[in-house]
Amino acid sequence: MNGKGANTLSKVPELTLIFWVIKIAATTLGETGGDSVSMSMNLGYLVGTIIFAAVFFSVVVAQIKAKEFHPLLYWTTIIATTTVGTTLADFADRSLGIGYAGGSSLLFVLLMGSLAAWFWSLGTVSADSVSSNKAEMFYWMTIMFSQTLGTALGDWTADTAGLGYEGGAVVFIILLAVIVAAYYWTRISRTLLFWAAFILTRPLGAVVGDFLDKPLRNGGLALSRYSASAALFAFILACILLFQQRAARQSH
């Protein structure tokens, strides 16, 4: 032992394979769930954003108040960030007329600003350093921006770039494979690789979610948004219950 606090528990899970499996499923659920409210229920992007923002703030407060890592609460918060990210990005891109390029650029600046403010304040943006309320507030703000950016990037790739949903999925899978290779065979900062992977899993989920529920004429499978969301939710819940996740540890 190196003294008190030598191995501090974080309030986020260890970065195992099951973490990334659930993360991708959660981002896909964010797309189908967000579209279910804003489009299938015909509530629109603004109302959908207001609804999901209220849920997001509620679960973030609960997460910050929690004394330790709770898998169900953590992943509920992740799902909340990805649903509000879906409707917020769609509102900015479509309702405000910023477009996918403009929305992606704006969100990228906000994401970089969040990371910069976090680093300036605490000296690190490592996920396993999230053991204080202040760090956790930066963590969830950064994640919310990354989820919203990912939605815009996914739509930009599939629609504006003309790659379609399958083509967009292939692009993001390749980029994630490059990150995995960099993790195992280079000395690039693990924190940098984490955030790159975290951001890129969101557009992957966005294009997969759109592929599941968009009409056949648009290149989708035309599945019900409700049934797709229910299946994804059941899968995530099963993963949480079947696979034990432990809190990450920060060595000092």
Side-chain angles (χ1 to χ4, degrees):
M1 295 292 290
N2 294 323
K4 185 178 179 180
N7 221 2
T8 305
L9 283 176
S10 176
K11 288 176 65 180
V12 301
E14 289 182 320
L15 299 180
T16 60
L17 177 60
I18 195 62
F19 172 91
W20 294 109
V21 170
I22 299 175
K23 170 60 167 64
I24 293 172
T27 59
T28 307
L29 172 59
E31 190 70 19
T32 58
D35 288 348
S36 294
V37 172
S38 62
M39 300 171 71
S40 295
M41 293 182 183
N42 295 315
L43 295 179
Y45 301 125
L46 178 58
V47 173
T49 299
I50 293 172
I51 291 171
F52 288 125
V55 174
F56 166 66
F57 285 117
S58 298
V59 293
V60 164
V61 169
Q63 170 71 22
I64 292 175
K65 286 185 175 180
K67 300 301 183 184
E68 57 187 18
F69 168 65
H70 297 285
L72 281 172
L73 179 57
Y74 176 84
W75 287 110
T76 298
T77 312
I78 288 289
I79 292 171
T81 65
T82 193
T83 48
V84 73
T86 295
T87 55
L88 181 58
D90 287 342
F91 176 71
D93 296 340
R94 301 169 186 173
S95 298
L96 296 182
I98 295 176
Y100 298 132
S104 298
S105 300
L106 173 61
L107 289 162
F108 180 78
V109 171
L110 290 172
L111 174 61
M112 291 300 104
S114 177
L115 286 168
W118 182 0
F119 185 82
W120 178 81
S121 179
L122 296 176
T124 179
V125 295
S126 175
D128 65 10
S129 70
V130 182
S131 56
S132 68
N133 289 350
K134 189 173 185 180
E136 198 162 8
M137 284 189 285
F138 277 118
Y139 178 78
W140 290 113
M141 179 172 64
T142 302
I143 283 181
M144 195 273 287
F145 285 140
S146 76
Q147 304 282 40
T148 310
L149 170 62
T151 301
L153 283 176
D155 290 340
W156 188 11
T157 304
D159 297 334
T160 305
L163 295 178
Y165 305 124
E166 293 174 327
V170 170
V171 167
F172 293 117
I173 288 172
I174 291 173
L175 290 174
L176 285 168
V178 170
I179 292 174
V180 171
Y183 178 85
Y184 284 106
W185 294 306
T186 74
R187 295 184 178 181
I188 295 175
S189 166
R190 297 306 187 244
T191 298
L192 175 62
L193 293 176
F194 165 77
W195 284 112
F198 200 96
I199 293 167
L200 288 173
T201 51
R202 179 62 187 100
L204 174 60
V207 294
V208 171
D210 283 337
F211 176 67
L212 293 175
D213 63 33
K214 288 297 187 285
L216 294 173
R217 66 178 180 276
N218 293 337
L221 295 180
L223 299 179
S224 164
R225 293 187 180 103
Y226 302 125
S227 59
S229 298
L232 287 163
F233 178 79
F235 175 77
I236 292 169
L237 184 60
C239 288
I240 294 172
L241 296 177
L242 292 175
F243 299 96
Q244 182 181 9
Q245 295 179 78
R246 297 178 299 181
R249 290 182 178 273
Q250 179 189 14
S251 297
H252 297 280

